[in-house]
Amino acid sequence: MKNIGTGKVSASHLEREACVYIRQSSPGQVVNNTESTRRQYDPSERALVLGWPRERIRVIDEDQGLSGADAEKRGGFQDLMARIAAGEVGIVLSLEISRLGRSNADLHRLFRLVALSGTLVCDEAGVHDPGNSSDLLLLGIKSSVYEFELDGIRQRLLGGALNKAQRGELRIALPAGLVHDPAVAVVLDPDIQVAEAVNPVFETFRRTRSARATFNWLLDNAILLPACPASEGHRLIWSEAHYSRVLSILRNPRYAGCHAWGRRGGNAGRADPWKAWRVCIPEAHAGYIDWEEFQRNQRQLADNHRQSFAATDGRTGPLREGGALLQSRAICGRCGSRMLIKCGGATDPKRVNERYYHCVGGKVAQAGKSCQTMRGERVDAAVADFLVGAVNRSNIDLALSVEEQVRSDFARADLQRSYQNREIITHPAKRSGRVEPSVW
């Protein structure tokens, strides 16, 4: 210690505890930087030099492996603050102030508390009394420097990751269905049961154009979906289909062979979310769909995200349930807004089966009156007559092809269930993006 500062230590300080705070930012540092850990225990000897008996020296090392950027997650630091507030601590010792925290807000809260309780702060440079304005200024400058240093470290790490991502070399955890081969290239998972579970998601969405309908089809046919969650160490697991899981598959560009990075947040309702990504390299590796289909899927998902009243913005909105023939498809000829379905039973139970196409576009947009209301059976009858008149031989062929597609879907679902009824062997060992094929 360069300047021990024994003159600042009084008898009232010595009557209380000396707390030595020890912290390293990550488990890797705790394991590898053993010399730093050893040096952080040295302030215990300094407390002895300052006059504290060994039985009143407390070592707080509960926060080993935790970042100093957030005090709320550090139980040892919170315990230290509580002891200071209770007047039990005479001096806080640490190898350097940055061990106590990297956040200006956390450190200044600590300095204010130790000043009120008459507690000293000791680092490698000497003993500081936060109750003294000169010492408090010095501690404030140090805390600002440490916070700036942390931001610099963060920016350097982020810059290195960005450069590797722009070259397509950044190794990112892969979703289920994609693995790294020995050459670190991204390829389709050789496990056929994984591929046969991912493919139906895209094929069903291609046919239904709805994530909800895709989810319902998977659920109705008891199709399990694979996942490699970080909480499970990216180990391959199988679970019942969930709507959020279906959306994550449809929105993940890696399934389209795109190397993407920096795509968090703000993409839920956008038709072109890739424009906001920091790195987007299409056709960087093998995928289950091509980049053009991925773009179409994102536009369809954005179109389905919110059914707008105004139909002039190009949104068609998802098909809705109901007895009306043009449910969610009728457009008002006056204002261009999407018409709602209104049932007559709301005012008269005898008219419960009557339906009306009702436009509230003007009422919503301009606080005016409803544009128009018309009886649903008349509109539906006119549309039905038009459809019947348009049916010809080619339409019948199309209906037959749709029937064949339905049969094919049932066959695929049966095949997938046969895979999933067999024994699934997953390997919880380290998965560098790869799970060995299951042994049947």
Side-chain angles (χ1 to χ4, degrees):
M1 211 165 165
K2 297 178 181 177
N3 176 21
I4 202 68
T6 54
K8 298 179 181 179
V9 180
S10 65
S12 63
H13 294 128
L14 295 174
E15 291 174 356
R16 292 176 281 173
E17 286 184 335
C19 288
V20 180
Y21 185 79
I22 298 171
R23 180 190 65 82
Q24 292 210 69
S25 298
S26 67
Q29 290 181 358
V30 176
V31 173
N32 300 320
N33 300 347
T34 55
E35 185 62 24
S36 176
T37 302
R38 187 192 65 78
R39 289 185 64 217
Q40 289 194 59
Y41 282 94
D42 289 347
S44 299
E45 301 300 320
R46 295 179 187 141
L48 291 173
V49 173
L50 289 171
W52 267 270
R54 192 173 296 276
E55 61 270 15
R56 281 209 293 271
I57 299 175
R58 179 185 297 273
V59 176
I60 300 177
D61 54 4
E62 303 171 19
D63 297 337
Q64 288 281 48
L66 297 177
S67 171
D70 188 0
E72 297 298 326
K73 298 179 180 178
R74 293 185 285 143
F77 184 80
Q78 296 297 329
D79 178 52
L80 174 64
M81 294 281 284
R83 291 179 181 277
I84 294 172
E88 300 175 1
V89 180
I91 189 171
V92 177
L93 302 101
S94 188
L95 183 64
E96 55 186 27
I97 299 300
S98 65
R99 298 301 92 201
L100 292 167
R102 288 279 191 174
S103 167
N104 244 331
D106 295 337
L107 286 175
H108 278 280
R109 188 160 53 251
L110 172 67
F111 298 153
R112 185 178 297 110
L113 190 59
V114 295
L116 290 173
S117 62
T119 304
L120 303 176
V121 176
C122 178
D123 64 359
E124 198 172 28
V127 178
H128 310 281
D129 181 7
N132 181 285
S133 58
S134 297
D135 285 4
L136 183 61
L137 175 62
L138 177 60
L139 290 172
I141 293 173
K142 284 187 174 184
S143 69
S144 298
V145 170
Y146 289 137
E147 186 173 50
F148 179 77
E149 182 184 48
L150 179 63
D151 185 66
I153 294 172
R154 186 184 296 112
Q155 292 300 325
R156 287 195 296 272
L157 292 174
L158 184 63
L162 177 59
N163 286 340
K164 292 189 70 174
Q166 288 173 337
R167 297 195 305 268
E169 299 175 1
L170 184 63
R171 193 182 181 92
I172 306 172
L174 297 173
L178 295 171
V179 297
H180 288 106
D181 69 359
V184 199
V186 179
V187 297
L188 302 185
D189 197 317
D191 191 337
I192 189 173
Q193 68 184 34
V194 177
E196 288 296 330
V198 174
N199 273 321
V201 176
F202 295 106
E203 293 174 359
T204 307
F205 184 80
R206 193 179 299 133
R207 186 179 70 256
T208 63
R209 302 173 63 190
S210 167
R212 179 66 64 178
T214 302
F215 161 68
N216 290 337
W217 185 88
L218 294 170
L219 206 60
D220 292 341
N221 290 277
I223 303 298
L224 301 180
L225 289 181
C228 301
S231 60
E232 296 288 338
H234 299 288
R235 178 172 60 92
L236 181 67
I237 63 173
W238 293 85
S239 62
E240 187 181 53
H242 292 277
Y243 181 63
S244 59
R245 176 71 185 128
V246 172
L247 277 179
S248 68
I249 292 176
L250 294 172
R251 287 177 175 161
N252 196 325
R254 300 310 295 260
Y255 288 112
C258 173
H259 182 87
W261 186 75
R263 61 186 185 94
R264 288 182 176 273
N267 297 334
R270 295 189 56 170
D272 52 355
W274 52 89
K275 293 183 180 180
W277 300 344
R278 301 195 67 173
V279 176
C280 177
I281 307 176
E283 301 179 359
H285 55 79
Y288 286 84
I289 58 175
D290 56 33
W291 178 243
E292 289 73 19
E293 182 173 352
F294 175 80
Q295 292 177 305
R296 289 195 302 270
N297 289 350
Q298 304 319 297
R299 295 189 184 101
Q300 185 65 53
L301 288 171
D303 191 35
N304 294 348
H305 182 66
R306 178 178 58 86
Q307 183 174 343
S308 173
F309 278 114
T312 56
D313 61 354
R315 290 178 178 266
T316 59
L319 289 171
R320 306 294 300 184
E321 69 283 352
L325 189 60
L326 299 182
Q327 190 87 19
S328 78
R329 284 293 180 265
I331 305 299
C332 178
R334 293 182 179 178
C335 68
S337 299
R338 200 170 307 282
M339 301 186 77
L340 304 179
I341 306 300
K342 183 179 180 181
C343 296
T347 56
D348 186 357
K350 296 180 180 179
R351 301 167 57 197
V352 67
N353 294 323
E354 294 183 6
R355 295 180 180 86
Y356 297 86
Y357 290 99
H358 180 60
C359 176
V360 295
K363 189 174 183 179
V364 171
Q366 303 174 358
K369 296 182 179 180
S370 301
C371 288
Q372 57 180 327
T373 301
M374 59 189 69
R375 294 181 67 90
E377 62 267 20
R378 295 181 180 178
V379 177
D380 291 352
V383 173
D385 290 341
F386 174 79
L387 292 176
V388 171
V391 172
N392 52 34
R393 184 62 189 174
S394 61
N395 298 120
I396 296 175
D397 292 340
L398 178 61
L400 293 175
S401 66
V402 170
E403 182 182 4
E404 183 61 29
Q405 178 64 44
V406 171
R407 290 178 180 174
S408 175
D409 289 341
F410 278 122
R412 176 174 290 277
D414 290 339
L415 177 63
Q416 182 62 20
R417 281 192 293 270
S418 70
Y419 287 143
Q420 294 174 351
N421 286 336
R422 299 172 183 178
E423 182 182 4
I424 299 175
I425 302 177
T426 56
H427 303 274
K430 181 178 178 182
R431 173 186 168 90
S432 59
R434 179 185 180 90
V435 168
E436 295 298 328
S438 300
V439 179
W440 296 338

